Amino acid sequence: MTEKITNKAEYYLNAIMDASTNLIVITDGKDMLSANKALLHFLGIKKFETFLQKHKSLSDLFVYAKKDALLAQMGEQTWVEYLLEHSNEKLTYMYKEKDLHIFKTNILRLELENRPVYAIIFSDITELELQKQRYTQAIEGSHIGIWECDLQNDKVFLSAYWKKMLGYEEHELKNECATWEQRIHPDDLEQTMQSIQGNFDKKTNFFHNIHRLRHKNGDWVWVVDRGEIFYDDQGNPIRMAGTHMDITKLKKSEKKNLLHAKRADILLSLPSLNDTLSETEFMQKTMEFCEDLTQSVISFIHLVNYDEKTIELVTWSNSTLDNYCHAIVDRHYPVDQAGIWAEAVRQKKALIINDYKSAPNKKGLPEGHAHLERFISLPVMEDGKVVMLCGVGNKASDYSEIELESLQLIANQTWQL
């Protein structure tokens, strides 16, 4: 905007400037020409000339507080030149005594005595920014990430905590739909989209679902997704917004409690099964329980001779024999020649391998043996010696310590029975 300022207009301009509570400075782009009363009051001085005795530009007072700070030099541009091209993109930080104030900055181009001048207006938004910080802190304390999608302009907002929830710094993830779509668990995508579509079709007042998002480290974060579609006066969807709340700890707790309950049922059922089944049938049933408890697809029980130098192959589970393992091996063979799964005997301690491919000292597998991706192998001890070896393998995800603990209890009772 350009305006020709006469002396009368300049008088009115000064009057308007002094009536404003915003800080206003007139500059030719390099030197300050005048400032309003609000600015002088902020600086703690009565006359504009007092400021000019110490400073050439107001930018001398700008401080770097955050990445969004407006500074005296913006690359090769001065701060005034930058504002002309990027108005409102940067905030100005200045101290009043010991308190840091935050300003939103606008620029107005005028013409004074046939030369261009600029009115720079600093609106104090310190309290607003503090409220935003408090709100953000409260949201983050609740483990909630905020997201929003402008459907008309195809713009997406993902809060800093939303990204932090997945292990990323704010600058590491783009604000776009693909950021979410690429990280949702494939098994959760269909039911999540159905939930959102129901709200698009106005069948629900809001949508609500639970799904998993992939963390930066490869883990899965469970979130409660709650949001709403907003429409214009013609009923067209224009915006959708909502929150993602991290409930991973709750899900892990639920899973742990469920595992404990199933483990208790198994331990209680073993004595009666032992009375009614043959030894082989009993061990097969035990392995079925172990597979079901850990969501594994293979399992085995082997005996260890008293000298701890030889393993006797008792059996694999029915599922392993039918679908995975067709190896022809001797029923007795030396412990020192057995694969990595026998480290539980050699070291006399339980073993979790969640990356078999990269594990050292594998010693290989016999032809026809079940393919291994990950496994648990654990010893049953009696009088300080390993008497039995039990294991499960090829769960779709990593095995945990609580699963190992549960298998150890079942294996110990199986041996005793």
Side-chain angles (χ1 to χ4, degrees), residues 240-259:
M240 59 188 298
T243 60
H244 283 163
M245 182 170 69
D246 185 349
I247 59 166
T248 306
K249 289 183 178 180
L250 177 61
K251 277 290 184 180
K252 286 182 177 179
S253 179
E254 289 178 354
K255 187 175 181 180
K256 183 177 179 180
N257 291 338
L258 179 61
L259 188 145

Side-chain angles (χ1 to χ4, degrees), residues 34 50 88 131 206 257 293 297 308 356 413:
S34 64
T50 304
N88 298 332
Q131 289 178 4
F206 58 88
N257 291 338
L293 186 68
V297 295
E308 295 182 297
Y356 178 77
Q413 184 162 340

Side-chain angles (χ1 to χ4, degrees), residues 110-122:
L110 306 170
E111 193 170 301
L112 179 63
E113 298 177 352
N114 296 321
R115 62 172 179 152
V117 297
Y118 307 96
I120 318 293
I121 304 167
F122 299 88

